[in-house]
Amino acid sequence: MSGGSSETKLVNFAMGNKTRRKIINFLANGHRNVEEIEALVGNKTIDFHLKILQDADLIELTERTAKISEYGKNFLKSDKKSNTEEIKDLSQAKPVEIAEVRQLLPCIADSTKFRVIANMAPPLGGVLKILEPIFPRGNYSDKKDSLIIQKGEIITTIYGSGKVVMRMVKNESEAKEELENLKNTINETIKKGIVPPLREKVRVELMDIYKHLPQTNCRDCGEQGCYSFAIRLMAGQVSLDQCTQLKEPGYEPNLERLQFLAAYI
């Protein structure tokens, strides 16, 4: 494989699925027949998953036997090396402060709630990524260099630049309390200087998006239906604000959840 952008996207797509990651790690220990792989992951879509891995040149498939390719072996080695190199020393991080709360605005999804824009100083930068595991419902996005944390209805996004956006808070008092808790949690981890163990990242699947859309197929967005909209959203060809129905009363939880998921597409 040449390593061009299209090939890279194909590999990323292949490895972006939990079942396919399980298969290739299984094959790292030696060749297996299809029946053995079926026993591991189930047989409903086994042929589909094997075909994706084969197209990405990660495995070789001969009759009913699969084995990891040389490219696949090198990919696993480089992936493990990359994960190791990304870990930084927390001792290099400085305690943070919430320098200011710049704005308190009505929340788009629910006008009875508020969204807050604040600033954290100094910016966490590269340290932000390794803080992900200290939050039970936290997910780091490489694409946006941001850490999204969900606590009840409240969704907080911390950016490497220091910007903090908090949505679905009841009032300014709650916002300040949550920001203070956030600061304390981060500073306690920095003080300990211990890197939390990494967790497997949650992958967003097409049906995760589709099931939270209105599913009315109104076509106001210009697509043939909600399923087509979900496909194009996954491909980055449309944005959530093009779904006008999500702005109507009753869809507030759907919109908030979709905003959360969209950060990881």
Side-chain angles (χ1 to χ4, degrees), residues 98 100-107 113-119 155-157 163-176 179:
I98 303 299
E100 59 177 331
V101 177
R102 297 203 304 264
Q103 289 179 295
L104 182 69
L105 303 168
C107 195
K113 303 289 179 66
F114 294 91
R115 57 190 170 99
V116 173
I117 300 176
N119 189 57
I155 297 176
T156 303
T157 305
K163 180 181 177 182
V164 181
V165 179
M166 185 174 286
R167 300 179 178 88
M168 297 294 283
V169 292
K170 295 176 182 177
N171 48 48
E172 185 175 3
S173 177
E174 182 180 55
K176 289 183 177 179
L179 286 168

Side-chain angles (χ1 to χ4, degrees), residues 207-219:
M207 292 308 296
D208 292 333
I209 296 295
Y210 176 68
K211 72 181 181 182
H212 288 97
L213 289 172
Q215 300 182 28
T216 57
N217 299 322
C218 68
R219 301 189 181 184

Side-chain angles (χ1 to χ4, degrees), residues 211-251:
K211 72 181 181 182
H212 288 97
L213 289 172
Q215 300 182 28
T216 57
N217 299 322
C218 68
R219 301 189 181 184
D220 289 348
C221 62
E223 300 301 321
Q224 292 298 311
C226 291
Y227 192 74
S228 297
F229 181 84
I231 292 173
R232 296 200 65 193
L233 187 67
M234 289 286 288
Q237 298 171 336
V238 296
S239 59
L240 279 175
D241 59 7
Q242 290 175 242
C243 180
T244 56
Q245 290 204 359
L246 283 174
K247 301 174 184 178
E248 295 181 2
Y251 286 113

Side-chain angles (χ1 to χ4, degrees), residues 165-200:
V165 179
M166 185 174 286
R167 300 179 178 88
M168 297 294 283
V169 292
K170 295 176 182 177
N171 48 48
E172 185 175 3
S173 177
E174 182 180 55
K176 289 183 177 179
E177 181 181 348
E178 290 299 324
L179 286 168
E180 183 69 15
N181 291 337
L182 179 66
K183 179 195 76 173
N184 291 338
T185 299
I186 291 172
N187 286 342
E188 285 173 9
T189 303
I190 291 174
K191 184 178 179 180
K192 292 177 182 176
I194 300 173
V195 178
L198 295 173
R199 292 184 282 108
E200 183 179 3

